[in-house]
Amino acid sequence: MSRSVLLERPGRRRMIKGEAPEPGPGEVLVRVAAAGICGSDRELYEGGRPEPYRRFPIVPGHEWSGTVEAAGPGVDPSLVGRPTVGEGFVNCQVCDRCRAGDTNLCVAGYDEIGFTRPGAFADHLIVPARLLHPLPSGTDLRAAVLLEPAAVAAAAVLQAAPLPGERVGVVGAGTLGLLTIQLLAASSPAELVVSDPRAGREPVARAGGATAYFHPDRFGALDLDVVVETAGAHDSAAAAARQVRRGGRLVLTGIPGGVPEGLSPSLIVGRQLAVTSVFGAPASAWSHAVRAFTSGLLDLAPLVTHELPLEAYPDAVALLGQGGEDVGKIILRP
């Protein structure tokens, strides 16, 4: 027997039960250990996710960890029993972007586990085996559920390309920001400055390597070499740009809802900023995040603050919406 949360349309969900699905050629069946909730899951539940990036009815859940339970035809049988995480973007592998390694920018059309195909808010999950990132035996799968956002943070840090001794900054101390802090700290910066309005996030940020922590209202011009924006607030991109020195680097990861404050071209050009962004994570960023985790450079477990059963999916979404300084990563445990 296998259970799944089926979101029939925004706000309407039900638990369904049936036999565990059978993996097809090139696929594996994963028994889900944990599945994370993030802002895009809340958008999906509340109906705010744009139409090209969702499909109803859908089993949500794109952040997950688990154990391979069965392998389909053509898949290495030694994968069975391995703890694993996996990429969400199901790419075509043959377009120019995929061949260049930008698998998250596949031109064949958006297709992501948990949004356009069944996700991990379930006891079992079908995944193309080529998307797996197997983990060592004994891995803490509760912590490993954070490797999906960690891969996005890794993509941002790889874009930022920090050098030892540079002065770096992060705007936003949510899950993505806290992961970015840890990865930036591994580059041995001279300073690692963090901006977030939630004072309660400061201890976790400093534990991850932050050397200074400010409320955005007191985040003056710091002339940093590189800043990674992770907040996705209406004015966070412009606020981040103002902290970068002339000729410095800015990486944007947040997607603000509503109408954002404009990032002025005159600010970018006048300061000769190099501005880049990330959308999800390519396979290379996943590999980077997994290596950092398995080698001990990423400490993910402390970021999990709430664990709920699969049946409590709407409660988890509501808890995320309430925010609060004590709400970090929320996970569902089948």
Side-chain angles (χ1 to χ4, degrees):
M1 184 66 66
S2 185
R3 304 165 302 152
S4 301
V5 173
L6 183 69
L7 186 60
E8 297 177 315
R9 62 175 185 267
R12 183 180 178 87
R13 93 289 173 194
R14 61 188 175 94
M15 187 75 75
I16 59 175
K17 299 179 180 179
E19 295 299 318
E22 292 284 338
E27 296 178 333
V28 297
L29 175 69
V30 173
R31 174 170 285 279
V32 179
I37 296 269
C38 85
S40 54
D41 294 305
R42 182 186 171 203
E43 282 184 334
L44 187 69
Y45 185 82
E46 296 179 346
R49 190 167 177 84
E51 187 171 349
Y53 300 101
R54 49 82 171 160
R55 185 178 299 150
F56 294 110
I58 188 69
V59 177
H62 64 289
E63 302 177 5
W64 58 269
S65 63
T67 303
V68 178
E69 196 164 89
V75 176
D76 183 353
S78 70
L79 285 171
V80 176
R82 290 285 302 273
T84 191
V85 291
E87 299 170 35
F89 290 118
V90 183
N91 52 78
C92 75
Q93 298 184 285
V94 297
C95 72
D96 288 347
R97 289 296 87 220
C98 284
R99 289 183 181 277
D102 298 324
T103 51
N104 55 316
L105 303 179
C106 176
V107 302
Y110 174 78
D111 188 9
E112 186 175 6
I113 291 170
F115 296 109
T116 61
R117 59 174 65 199
F121 293 168
D123 290 321
H124 293 90
L125 172 68
I126 293 290
V127 184
R130 61 186 173 84
L131 299 181
L132 295 182
H133 288 264
L135 301 169
S137 177
T139 294
D140 178 4
L141 291 177
R142 174 182 175 274
V145 74
L146 280 130
L147 281 169
E148 193 278 340
V152 179
V157 172
L158 289 170
Q159 290 270 19
L163 298 173
E166 285 193 310
R167 301 174 66 239
V168 303
V170 177
V171 173
T175 297
L176 189 58
L178 293 171
L179 292 165
T180 301
I181 291 166
Q182 291 192 39
L183 290 168
L184 285 172
S187 69
S188 300
E191 295 180 56
L192 205 174
V193 183
V194 178
S195 167
D196 193 279
R198 296 164 291 190
R201 297 295 177 92
E202 182 174 357
V204 185
R206 288 190 178 274
T211 60
Y213 191 95
F214 296 97
H215 189 284
D217 293 343
R218 297 185 289 109
F219 199 45
L222 299 174
D223 289 332
L224 301 173
D225 296 293
V226 59
V227 174
V228 180
E229 181 278 325
T230 68
H234 77 281
D235 60 348
S236 55
R242 289 192 290 269
Q243 313 314 317
V244 185
R245 65 165 172 81
R246 298 191 71 188
R249 311 185 300 283
L250 171 65
V251 182
L252 306 176
T253 71
I255 303 177
V259 180
E261 178 181 302
L263 180 54
S264 168
S266 61
L267 174 62
I268 297 171
V269 176
R271 298 170 68 87
Q272 194 176 306
L273 303 183
V275 181
T276 57
S277 62
V278 298
F279 175 71
S284 58
W286 270 91
S287 296
H288 187 75
V290 169
R291 282 195 303 269
F293 174 58
T294 56
S295 65
L297 286 175
L298 272 178
D299 187 12
L300 303 181
L303 276 62
V304 178
T305 59
H306 294 77
E307 300 181 48
L308 288 81
L310 192 61
E311 296 83 358
Y313 161 58
D315 298 327
V317 174
L319 181 62
L320 180 68
Q322 292 169 10
E325 298 195 358
D326 63 335
V327 179
K329 175 55 62 178
I330 303 166
I331 62 174
L332 297 179
R333 298 294 294 264

